[in-house]
Amino acid sequence: QVQLVESGGGLVQPGGSLRLSCTASGSIFSINDMGWYRQAPGNQRESVATITNRGSTNYSDSVKGRFTISRDNAKNTVYLQMNSLKPEDTAVYYCNVRLRRKSFLSELDYWGQGTQVTVSS
């Protein structure tokens, strides 16, 4: 089995910072792309940032320059450093990992349980 465990969410004031972590564990053969997505009440789930297995990154326009995605392949972990947080960043944040399981040929997407980020004064 494969599990993704997220941590790092919480309540912060505007302008504050948080760092989210997501660690994959289990019968994993290899990990491809990783990313962070978020969903605010009344909104669709949207991509925040992604990072390939080669380290190439992409960010949504709304977070560009404020958020940084990174990964530690040795730890099967993806991070999201969030700076200069705004109330509009309030959402449940989910990590997504595309990986190949041991004894499987196909890659599949796995999702973390979600962590709440609330930015409010």
Side-chain angles (χ1 to χ4, degrees):
Q1 65 176 4
V2 173
Q3 297 183 43
L4 303 186
V5 179
E6 300 182 28
S7 63
L11 173 64
V12 297
Q13 295 183 338
S17 298
L18 286 173
R19 190 172 86 142
L20 307 183
S21 299
C22 174
T23 299
S25 63
S27 56
I28 299 170
F29 180 80
S30 62
I31 295 179
N32 200 327
D33 296 350
M34 309 176 86
W36 290 94
Y37 298 74
R38 68 186 182 188
Q39 187 166 18
N43 293 336
Q44 300 288 327
R45 185 173 298 186
E46 64 175 347
S47 175
V48 176
T50 58
I51 183 167
T52 72
N53 61 346
R54 301 289 297 272
S56 298
T57 59
N58 282 288
Y59 299 92
S60 68
D61 290 339
S62 62
V63 308
K64 197 169 299 181
R66 300 186 297 119
F67 291 9
T68 302
I69 187 171
S70 61
R71 62 192 288 168
D72 186 334
N73 292 330
K75 297 180 178 179
N76 290 345
T77 298
V78 61
Y79 305 94
L80 185 67
Q81 178 67 48
M82 304 184 292
N83 298 326
S84 302
L85 283 162
K86 304 175 180 180
E88 305 93 272
D89 297 318
T90 296
V92 177
Y93 284 70
Y94 300 89
C95 66
N96 174 269
V97 178
R98 177 165 291 184
L99 58 83
R100 178 185 169 186
R101 294 179 61 184
K102 293 178 180 177
S103 301
F104 286 76
L105 295 178
S106 299
E107 292 184 334
L108 297 174
D109 286 350
Y110 292 83
W111 292 90
Q113 80 279 10
T115 184
Q116 177 70 48
V117 172
T118 302
V119 185
S120 176
S121 59

